Amino acid sequence: MSAAFRRPLFAGNWKMHKTVAEARVLVRAIVARGPCPGADLVVCPPFTALAAVGEELRGSEIALGAQNMHEAPCGPFTGEISAAMLCELGVRYVILGHSERREYFNETDAAVARKVRAALDAGLVPIVAVGETAAEHAAGAAVAKVTAQTLAAFSAASAQEIGRCVVAYEPIWAIGTGNVDTPSGADAVIGAIRACVPGLGEARILYGGSMNADNARALMAEPNIDGGLIGGRSLDGDSFVACVLASEHESR
Ligand code: PGA
């Protein structure tokens, strides 16, 4: 662990789930589970539910996050959302470069880098997602893949700015499959990410991919893992908070 204390952080990535009414029910359930004093919590609903979820979070310690944004401040980009639009709704974090965006929406490393720059300029905290495919994993190429993605994503940011960012290591083969990475395997890759760009020593680096209340504790026991980016298990208030509480019992 680096000299600076890296407070655990858990972000719920709701993906394309929850209408506004459903989002209100879910976030109320998370808030009702009470505070999690040992960790920062972030919920990332779809764009349409950001305003309502932000309203429900008023007065709580839980932060609001978005799942994507466009890099331009405004312009003729039909269907896109800018950083300023997110900030106006009280958004503080934004997931950038999730593997689903890279795979289904052709998001490139260069685009992720531009988005990171725009997010930092707007005062948002980027949660930069990186990860290797099953084939890359099998070929022993995980570290090469994710360090290249990480270097590219932060190519337009200073070490000081990078220290305030968040990275999520999400092996693609582990996302939504139930095939969680081993704690030591995830820690080794995250250690390599931490070492590949100046500033990441201080940054929080999360693990993502089938994280749940049963495996969170062992993952969080690893020295380089500072929290989780949680998909499926963040769609239920009890199971999301259970992940956080399980890992709180792990003394670091
Ligand atoms: P999962 O998703 O927890 O459902 O595996 C994680 C993610 O895609 O961020």
Side-chain angles (χ1 to χ4, degrees):
M1 172 153 338
S2 77
F5 175 65
R6 304 188 309 258
R7 185 172 154 80
L9 185 149
F10 292 84
N13 176 11
W14 297 3
K15 308 193 180 184
M16 198 175 73
H17 294 285
K18 306 296 176 186
T19 64
V20 172
E22 292 165 346
R24 282 190 191 273
V25 172
L26 174 53
V27 73
R28 278 179 197 155
I30 294 169
V31 171
R33 283 293 308 260
C36 300
D40 290 336
L41 263 56
V42 183
V43 290
C44 305
F47 289 136
T48 46
L50 282 170
V53 170
E55 223 175 86
E56 299 289 341
L57 289 176
R58 230 167 266 154
S60 96
E61 302 268 292
I62 302 170
L64 188 61
Q67 300 173 20
N68 180 35
M69 55 171 251
H70 194 275
E71 68 264 28
C74 58
F77 303 107
T78 301
E80 293 291 324
I81 302 284
S82 73
M85 293 169 185
L86 299 180
C87 291
E88 188 184 31
L89 297 177
V91 170
R92 288 175 41 208
Y93 293 81
V94 59
I95 302 170
L96 297 175
H98 190 281
S99 62
E100 288 151 15
R101 295 219 52 89
R102 295 178 191 260
E103 182 177 355
Y104 306 130
F105 302 99
N106 304 317
E107 209 161 281
T108 62
D109 280 343
V112 176
R114 290 193 296 272
K115 292 182 181 202
V116 167
R117 185 64 262 158
L120 287 169
D121 288 342
L124 292 166
V125 178
I127 301 176
V128 175
V130 297
E132 83 284 2
T133 64
E136 290 161 343
H137 183 74
V143 165
K145 170 77 177 292
V146 302
T147 54
Q149 288 179 320
T150 306
L151 278 160
F154 292 113
S155 57
S158 70
Q160 204 186 9
E161 290 171 325
I162 293 167
R164 296 196 298 268
C165 293
V166 177
V167 176
Y169 167 54
E170 299 203 304
I172 296 168
W173 48 270
I175 294 176
T177 59
N179 297 326
V180 65
D181 201 353
T182 61
S184 59
D187 188 68
V189 178
I190 291 176
I193 292 170
R194 200 175 281 298
C196 81
V197 177
L200 283 183
E202 282 71 49
R204 290 181 287 187
I205 308 188
L206 318 180
Y207 168 79
S210 298
M211 197 181 213
N212 61 37
D214 296 329
N215 58 40
R217 185 178 173 152
L219 287 160
M220 287 299 287
E222 296 292 336
N224 280 302
I225 302 180
D226 301 324
L229 181 55
I230 302 174
R233 297 304 170 112
S234 72
L235 296 175
D236 171 272
D238 284 346
S239 64
F240 180 56
V241 175
C243 293
V244 182
L245 294 178
S247 46
E248 276 189 358
H249 295 129
E250 185 50 54
S251 58
R252 307 190 72 207

